[in-house]
Amino acid sequence: MTDGPAGTGKPPAMYRKVAADLGREIGEGRYGSGGRLPAEGELAERYGVSRGTVRQAMALLRTEGLIASRRGTRRVVIGSPRPQSFGELLSFTRWARSTGEEPGGRIVTVETRPADPTEREQLRLASGAEVYEVRRLRTLSGRPVMIERTVYPPAVGELIAALPPDTVSHTVALEESGVLIADAQHTIDLCRADEEDARLLGCRPGDPLLRERRCSTDPAGTPVEWSEDRYLPETVAFTVHSSAAAGSLARRPADDA
């Protein structure tokens, strides 16, 4: 079965319908804390879709922090609430709205250029490959808080470059185009503001900024983005929760620290 494309004025893709239905059942407690979802084949038969569509739905549920999965096992419903869903941690827009803030953004530059060695390694690109680099100023309720520097491989970058300039969430726009992010590796440290940071964020060159570097991959493990986000240090904080059973990372407003 072929699913119709998602987009304005068109029916939602079937995987979104499947994910929405299963998400509602999870919220109602139908599978219990730590319970397993039905097998792929059973779900495909229930909804009259292919196994590939079911896998896309599972990937979306995983990004929302509703299920966890490992190779060779059925998807498990996450029992206790996580400090923040994967989707909120990945998407500045979703996180901001979850805290009652209104997210905003302004594109500073969009360019294509040869990938540098780090970008080739992170995005698994061949020597000489080009990337799309997008720089955006992100705001919370009108206040500048972060510079977003994201590098995309060509196939994904073309989708981003075609978006309207006022698109608030590039992550959601990619999902609507069928590009799902299932995993992300985060590195958080400090860096010094450069001239561009200072001009856009209203700080001084050399001031410390909280830096989050992130490499994100799709359900097949293919890199989707390599991003470096630089926050004014008084605007957000990150919390790591770890235990023998699981670990999680959450971003929150700095005054909650």
Side-chain angles (χ1 to χ4, degrees):
M1 176 176 179
T2 302
D3 299 334
T8 303
K10 299 179 182 179
M14 272 303 299
Y15 78 87
R16 288 185 170 276
K17 293 182 179 180
V18 174
D21 191 41
L22 292 172
R24 184 179 62 254
E25 292 180 350
I26 290 170
E28 293 170 350
R30 183 169 303 186
Y31 302 104
S33 176
R36 296 183 184 276
L37 292 180
E40 280 182 6
E42 182 179 340
L43 290 171
E45 184 176 354
R46 179 197 299 183
Y47 292 103
V49 299
S50 67
R51 285 177 179 257
T53 297
V54 172
R55 292 189 193 106
Q56 284 185 291
M58 294 299 106
L60 188 54
L61 291 174
R62 188 178 175 191
T63 66
E64 295 300 326
L66 295 177
I67 65 172
S69 62
R70 294 179 180 175
R71 288 188 182 275
T73 64
R74 286 177 20 213
R75 278 71 174 187
V76 178
V77 175
I78 293 176
S80 57
R82 296 171 64 180
Q84 190 174 88
S85 75
F86 177 81
E88 288 173 352
L89 183 60
L90 185 71
S91 168
F92 178 88
T93 297
R94 285 177 173 143
W95 167 74
R97 288 174 175 160
S98 75
T99 65
E101 297 271 12
E102 183 56 36
R106 173 170 68 84
I107 291 179
V108 179
T109 60
V110 179
E111 64 174 350
T112 57
R113 56 170 176 76
D116 66 27
T118 298
E119 292 160 355
R120 290 199 302 269
E121 178 183 1
Q122 294 294 333
L123 296 177
R124 302 177 201 163
L125 298 174
S127 179
E130 290 201 331
V131 292
Y132 283 73
E133 181 184 22
V134 179
R135 299 190 180 198
R136 289 201 294 168
L137 172 66
R138 304 309 306 269
T139 61
L140 289 177
S141 300
R143 306 184 324 273
V145 297
M146 186 258 281
I147 303 296
E148 185 179 86
R149 294 175 170 89
T150 308
V151 178
Y152 300 97
V156 181
E158 290 172 3
L159 297 174
I160 294 294
L163 294 175
D166 59 352
T167 301
V168 177
S169 176
H170 287 180
T171 302
V172 172
L174 287 177
E175 288 176 1
E176 291 174 348
S177 296
V179 179
L180 302 177
I181 296 176
D183 291 278
Q185 179 72 33
H186 303 262
T187 301
I188 299 170
D189 60 7
L190 292 178
C191 67
R192 297 289 179 178
D194 61 21
E195 294 288 343
E196 182 180 57
D197 297 329
R199 175 171 54 85
L200 295 172
L201 293 174
C203 60
R204 296 174 300 180
D207 279 355
L209 300 176
L210 184 64
R211 178 172 63 177
E212 179 207 358
R213 286 173 289 177
R214 179 179 67 253
C215 184
S216 307
T217 57
D218 67 12
T222 303
V224 172
E225 63 173 8
W226 167 243
S227 186
E228 179 177 311
D229 300 342
R230 298 185 178 190
Y231 294 85
L232 287 171
E234 70 273 15
T235 56
V236 301
F238 288 85
T239 298
V240 176
H241 170 79
S242 60
S243 70
S248 61
L249 173 70
R251 168 180 47 199
R252 66 178 191 277
D255 56 4
D256 289 346

